[in-house]
Amino acid sequence: MGRNEERRHRNDPGPQPGLPLRLVPGVGEDRGADGVLRRYFDPGATLFRAPTARRAVNTFVRERAKELGTEGADLREVAHDQDTATLNVRYQQFHQDVPILGATLQMVADTGQAAVVQVDNATELDVSDAPDVSEAQDLDVVGTSALAPFREGYEAAAVVRDNLVYLRDTARPPLPEAGSPSASVALLREGRRRPDGRLHLVHDLIVETSGPFEHFRVVVDAVGGELLWIEGAGKYVTATLKVYLPDPVTESDDGSLSSLSDDEKLKPFAHEVQTEIGPADGDGMFHLEGEWCRCSDWDAPDFPQPASDSPTFVFDTHPKDKAFLSANAYYWTDSFARYLRSLGNAALNARMVQVEVDPQGAESTDRSEWIGTTTPPRMRFDMKFVPGAADLGIIVHEYTHGVVQWLRTGATGPLEYEHSICDAMAGIYRDRFNPAGNRRTETFPFDNNLQDEWSQGRRLDLTQRFDDADFGDYTPDLRASMLASALWQCYLGMGGKSKDDVVRQKAADKMIKTMLAMVPRLGADTTQSKKNAVHLAETLIASDVTVNGGVYRNVMSDAFVRQGLFAKPDVDVFIADRPGDTGLVPSGSDTDPFWTSPDIWVRNAVGPGDDPEAGHQEPIMNRPNYLYVRVHNRGTAEAQPDRFTVETRRCDPGTGMTWPDHFKVISTETIHAPIPPGGSVRVGPFPWTPTIPDHECLIAVVHGADDPAVVATSGKPVPHDRLVRFDNNVGQRNVYPQKSVLGGQTTMTIALRGAPTATDGAWELDATAMPPDTRITIRTLSRIVEPSTLSNVEVTETGQVRSTLQMSGGNTADVDGFRLDANDDVSAELTIDFAHEAVHLKNYDFIATQLQDHEVAGRITIEITAVKDLHEWFFGNPKSGEVHIDTCPFWEQLSPANKKPYARIEEALVRGFNGCAYCLPQFNTG
């Protein structure tokens, strides 16, 4: 192994090596009744590793051929995609040089780990019943059977594609609940007979009709000439599948707008936008054509696409002017295509092509459609009720069918849960154009309006579950919406719930990137199967591991548990983020504190004289202290002994910390005791010698193969707050406790840290809990202060290098608009001149929150306890190093700023103070 390989990040397998990390319920190997290895799933990348991802794939296929049932089989690599995170390789099985449809072996490797993480084996173990290829009749002999069903109802029909393949006859494509003028249910029933389970040699055809235009897949037995089945080749949305995004209803939140609304009602919702089109043609005319979209009239009803002698396409709304549909369809197709390309999916960007769009393509049909069997591919939008081209959601849904087609190169089986992906994609993309949050979970608020309402079930917030007793009675449309609802919940958990537009948009980018990485790894499915939906859910989580380091896998798992795809985990260990936290993920909202864990605490000593359960003590600098951690189990089964470890780390005070760069290891302990369901154990003590006076910023992580921590798989720097909020295996305690006499002074230095990449920053300073006569002074770099917009804070001193700011208690202040470079480290000196009027022993908090690109990057709390009753307290003078009591003859000469209160003399002595020779001579050492 070379030097580069030695530095490769390797995921932590946990205390017991050899156990796959249970990132999802279905990890491990799945063998069929015949003993063949059909599925291998190790998203934690801990089991089958090699020097490179390609070698891992090749070695797995070679060494485990007997278990895969592929010894002697004719397997040929037909597709491979590799990016910085994943290598996808698809093999096709052949027999007598003819492919066996659906008989594929898909291998997925994590390129960072150089490990096989997923295998889906659909190869044919026994091909002894396959007809000899010499028995196949030519298409001109069997073509009559293929075209006979189209003699009535169509002006013409012709075969435009023919593939000779083997096909195991085990199932038929599901029939739609209702037909359409271009594809009736009666036509799709033609030739259907009960599957016989045999391996047939077939002509797999695409038949193109005209009058009306349509593409059909027609399968004919190549030996006997019998028609096996017909299915629509286009990917379409019927009324039960449409997804509507920002439109008149969404923008106005007025459900009465409908297909009957006229231009006067709709034109307030038509906004001018800027986009790109191609240059003028030879006649000086501009057309709605660009790199990714071309509006074209290729289907009835005839409507010539608009052309203009200037690059301006401004029309009245439909139904007053059909040309409005052309402008709308072009803009959103082009915009969505460009957005997808900006996400950097190499495979998708390499395969995207210009799409031909007919925005007025079907006057009497309530069906918009993606047709991927033409060159170039086409989209046609219906004209019934609210036209499909009038709505962003329909356009995005249809285009996503094309995205799936481009990403599944080499796939031969159907993907019926594809509609779930299209629905969720459209809903998430829509959200970035819906700042008011109107009707977020209505899949089609414009089409399914009060006037034209036809369904109450197509939503993204369905509560039906995949483990419901009557799941078998649910329609395919309902099941697709259920899975789309689970995907929507994943997006909300990743930040889609935030009130900040930028945070929501970033969550959308991350979720869509993860879905794009998921699609090539999906096998054939059917909406009749819960197992197929579970496979998609597990594959999404595995893709999050490669795309986001697994940061959001717990959010996703919880969403899938709520939808009944996953059972509640039998073992789910957690460390609370704050009092009252029950281990839910994410922990609270993006504004809730996550750095006040009651399950992490410090004791100054151990032994017979100390009770570890007596609560947190302030740490003492430069001498051993002892850290304890409490670990809970919210699962349904016992967490077994010796299967989990707890690692503790510390960090200097500040915000914007990155894991693991800014955290130093304290130590690691194995949990030797079992943790029953609903129970907890105390782990520790962890010896620790702090070097920052009275400060603690502590992290604890519990990890094991039965419930892995995100830090075991992230493999790259991660903002630590994402770990704490999004992984209940991680807890944080980040407090700066101080006591202050009235009028006293507290000082500390904290750091604002930069992210792994440069960010635009803000600093929120919350002193609302402080009495109004408190004064807070902040001295930091001028490059932070000068470009910023200041609110409720004043600049009192400006220098070339450092500037001073000042604010008062009872207020919040903002320093907004500074730039931090990658891995930047900016110190800020805080001085709090405490109030002269406060309640004795009451806690007063000052909270500093750092934001990076609108997202919370960390918070630090300075907790001051007021000391008003001076009797029985001890006071250290930082200037003299002496400790006094209030009866000292020099008491009145001490300023409040030089009186650091301690409840016990021992607390002052261990912090280096010496007893005053006049008032505490018994503690004076000279």
Side-chain angles (χ1 to χ4, degrees), residues 575 629 645-649 659 699-703 709-711 727 729-731:
I575 301 169
V629 178
T645 60
V646 173
E647 180 184 32
T648 53
R649 295 197 181 204
W659 180 279
I699 291 277
V701 180
V702 56
H703 168 64
V710 169
V711 297
D727 186 2
N729 293 51
V730 184

Side-chain angles (χ1 to χ4, degrees), residues 274-606:
Q274 302 294 316
T275 189
E276 295 182 2
I277 59 174
D281 61 20
D283 297 325
M285 301 299 290
F286 292 90
H287 302 271
L288 289 172
E289 179 175 1
E291 187 174 7
W292 307 112
C293 177
R294 174 176 179 264
C295 288
S296 173
D297 180 37
W298 50 267
D299 199 13
D302 295 336
F303 182 79
Q305 292 303 295
S308 174
D309 58 5
S310 67
T312 302
F313 296 84
V314 177
F315 309 102
D316 292 329
T317 63
H318 179 270
K320 187 174 182 180
D321 193 339
K322 290 183 180 180
F324 177 83
L325 303 176
S326 300
N328 197 64
Y330 177 82
Y331 177 76
W332 286 114
T333 301
D334 180 75
S335 296
F336 185 54
R338 292 176 184 275
Y339 165 74
L340 290 177
R341 294 187 67 80
S342 73
L343 299 180
N345 186 290
L348 178 61
N349 289 356
R351 294 172 189 152
M352 287 175 64
V353 296
Q354 185 191 62
V355 175
E356 195 172 70
V357 176
D358 188 345
Q360 304 85 7
E363 191 162 34
S364 61
T365 301
D366 192 17
R367 184 179 79 176
S368 297
E369 185 175 23
W370 167 270
I371 304 173
T373 51
T374 59
T375 303
R378 292 175 170 179
M379 289 195 297
R380 131 174 93 189
F381 296 101
D382 67 70
M383 293 289 290
K384 192 174 182 181
F385 303 118
V386 175
D391 193 282
L392 184 159
I394 295 295
I395 298 166
V396 170
H397 182 110
E398 297 305 336
Y399 195 88
T400 302
H401 282 302
V403 171
V404 172
Q405 176 181 321
W406 288 322
L407 287 174
R408 294 186 78 226
T409 299
T412 54
L415 187 61
E416 294 179 24
Y417 276 116
E418 183 173 325
H419 290 293
S420 305
I421 300 170
C422 296
D423 283 7
M425 183 79 78
I428 295 167
Y429 184 66
R430 165 201 185 194
D431 216 37
R432 67 197 310 114
F433 307 106
N434 184 20
N438 295 332
R439 303 170 183 261
R440 297 178 78 196
T441 57
E442 293 183 23
T443 315
F444 26 69
F446 193 16
D447 183 64
N448 196 33
N449 54 72
L450 295 179
Q451 180 68 41
D452 303 316
E453 187 175 31
W454 49 266
S455 172
Q456 296 181 353
R458 291 297 290 171
R459 303 180 61 88
L460 294 173
D461 58 357
L462 294 184
T463 58
Q464 289 91 337
R465 295 168 54 94
F466 282 84
D467 55 2
D468 286 344
D470 51 351
F471 174 79
D473 298 328
Y474 292 163
T475 66
D477 292 342
L478 178 58
R479 291 167 177 161
S481 289
M482 289 162 56
L483 184 53
S485 295
L487 296 176
W488 172 259
Q489 288 296 322
C490 293
Y491 157 65
L492 293 182
M494 293 167 72
K497 287 183 179 179
S498 175
K499 296 179 180 180
D500 190 306
D501 292 347
V502 175
V503 174
R504 291 198 308 275
Q505 290 172 13
K506 287 188 173 184
D509 293 347
K510 288 180 282 196
M511 181 62 183
I512 292 175
K513 287 175 71 173
T514 307
M515 288 198 295
L516 295 179
M518 168 194 71
V519 168
R521 302 170 65 165
L522 296 176
D525 70 20
T526 169
T527 50
Q528 303 301 314
S529 170
K530 173 186 174 181
K531 181 179 179 181
N532 294 145
V534 171
H535 168 67
L536 186 147
E538 293 187 330
T539 305
L540 181 72
I541 292 175
S543 299
D544 175 65
V545 174
T546 54
V547 174
N548 304 307
V551 172
Y552 303 105
R553 62 176 176 78
N554 289 317
V555 168
M556 295 175 176
S557 291
D558 276 12
F560 296 139
V561 167
R562 289 193 297 271
Q563 211 77 43
L565 285 157
F566 296 171
K568 184 178 178 181
D570 50 0
V571 175
D572 186 359
V573 293
F574 77 94
I575 301 169
D577 292 342
R578 63 186 187 282
D581 180 21
T582 59
L584 293 177
V585 181
S587 173
S589 72
D590 55 358
T591 59
D592 288 334
F594 55 81
W595 60 95
T596 58
S597 173
D599 291 334
I600 302 173
W601 70 98
V602 174
R603 301 295 297 172
N604 299 147
V606 296

Side-chain angles (χ1 to χ4, degrees), residues 150 153-160 179-184 187-188 206-218 230-236 298-300 361-362 365 367-374 378 380:
F150 305 99
Y154 299 89
E155 294 177 1
V159 175
V160 295
S180 69
S182 61
S184 67
L187 172 69
L188 300 177
I206 294 295
V207 171
E208 181 178 301
T209 65
S210 57
F213 174 90
E214 190 57 86
H215 267 206
F216 295 92
R217 181 187 178 205
V218 181
I230 301 172
E231 66 175 316
K235 301 293 185 179
Y236 61 89
W298 50 267
D299 199 13
T365 301
R367 184 179 79 176
S368 297
E369 185 175 23
W370 167 270
I371 304 173
T373 51
T374 59
R378 292 175 170 179
R380 131 174 93 189

